[in-house]
């Protein structure tokens, strides 16, 4: 999926180089990473979305993505339970990502626009997998550029690795042409949590805004 540059924030942190996302992973791992997971879905979950009516993959009851303890782009502690009472969409990426990250963020901004007043009941969190370069200041400019209510989350190297394991996502530095330059290959799916902070859906990269909107409206209607 391609996104017009008019949809992307004007940022001096973006890069024009394009690398195949997940290029360094093996074929089997690549297949799983395209679904946003570094390991197969738990037994009994892989096909449950066939009858659930959701457009995304229904992972209700999954034994992963149970929480996180990070810092938001304003410097405040952030935990999964802090978002209880609202839907939470979580995406892992980094600010210098040339394609997957800005595309996903722009798509979620369009979803928020479509939801209208209901968007006040939805939060979108961008968790960086590049804590070395993605400082709090950088996240505070990059993430809200897509939507003022979007939240950037950061942790040191240890916290980042711990959170990635908890969500079963993978990421890996890919050296660039000059010393110190690199890109980061990473899992590309988004996770959706319900108002009780339970992981419910895994949204594939490239899912259209209308499909995501429909799933979020359905979750908002749940009692």
């Amino acid at each position: 999926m391609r996104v017009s540059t008019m949809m992307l924030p004007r940022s001096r942190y973006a890069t024009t180089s394009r690398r195949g996302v997940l290029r360094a992973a093996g074929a089997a791992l690549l297949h799983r990473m395209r679904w946003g997971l570094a390991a197969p879905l738990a037994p009994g979950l892989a096909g449950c979305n066939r009858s659930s009516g959701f457009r995304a993959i229904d992972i209700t009851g999954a034994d992963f993505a149970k929480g996180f303890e990070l810092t938001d782009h304003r410097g405040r502690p952030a935990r999964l339970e802090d978002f209880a009472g609202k839907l939470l969409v979580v995406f892992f990426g980094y600010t210098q990502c040339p394609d997957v990250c800005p595309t996903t963020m722009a798509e979620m901004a369009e979803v928020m626009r479509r939801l209208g007043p209901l968007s006040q009941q939805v939060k979108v969190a961008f968790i960086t997998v590049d804590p070395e370069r993605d400082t709090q200041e950088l996240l505070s400019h990059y993430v809200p550029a897509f939507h003022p209510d979007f939240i950037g989350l950061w942790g040191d190297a240890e916290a980042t690795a711990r959170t990635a394991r908890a969500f079963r996502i993978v990421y890996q530095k890919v050296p660039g042409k000059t010393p110190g330059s690199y890109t980061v290959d990473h899992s590309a799916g988004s996770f959706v949590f319900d108002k009780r902070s339970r992981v419910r859906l895994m949204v594939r990269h490239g899912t259209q805004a209308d499909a995501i909107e429909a799933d979020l409206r359905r979750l908002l209607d749940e009692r």
Side-chain angles (χ1 to χ4, degrees), residues 71-73 95 126 128 134-144 152-154:
T71 303
D72 71 17
H73 67 257
T95 63
F126 174 94
T128 180
D134 287 348
T135 63
Q136 176 187 328
E137 180 181 3
L138 179 48
L139 288 172
S140 71
H141 291 290
Y142 179 84
V143 176
L153 298 179
W154 179 93

Side-chain angles (χ1 to χ4, degrees), residues 1-75:
M1 180 172 64
R2 302 182 70 87
V3 176
S4 167
T5 53
M6 293 298 291
M7 297 176 64
L8 307 181
R10 298 176 181 177
S11 171
R12 61 187 175 89
Y13 310 110
T15 175
T16 57
S17 64
R18 296 181 64 86
R19 295 177 183 272
V21 176
L22 316 176
R23 180 190 60 187
L29 181 58
L30 174 60
H31 173 75
R32 294 197 294 271
M33 289 173 67
R34 280 175 177 166
W35 292 69
L37 303 173
L41 292 175
L45 294 177
C48 62
N49 63 309
R50 294 176 182 174
S51 60
S52 70
F54 289 109
R55 310 283 187 89
I57 304 171
D58 187 343
I59 57 173
T60 301
D63 62 353
F64 56 92
K66 297 293 187 180
F68 53 79
E69 293 185 10
L70 299 166
T71 303
D72 71 17
H73 67 257
R74 299 181 181 88

Side-chain angles (χ1 to χ4, degrees), residues 141-198:
H141 291 290
Y142 179 84
V143 176
F146 291 93
H147 191 282
D149 291 336
F150 285 6
I151 300 168
L153 298 179
W154 179 93
D156 60 20
E158 181 180 350
T160 301
R162 181 172 61 251
T163 305
R165 287 193 301 270
F167 278 74
R168 295 187 183 176
I169 72 106
V170 292
Y171 61 99
Q172 175 180 305
K173 282 186 179 182
V174 179
K177 295 182 179 180
T178 60
S181 68
Y182 60 88
T183 56
V184 183
D185 287 349
H186 60 90
S187 305
S190 302
F191 297 87
V192 181
F193 294 81
D194 63 20
K195 293 181 180 180
R196 297 170 63 184
S197 299
R198 301 174 302 181

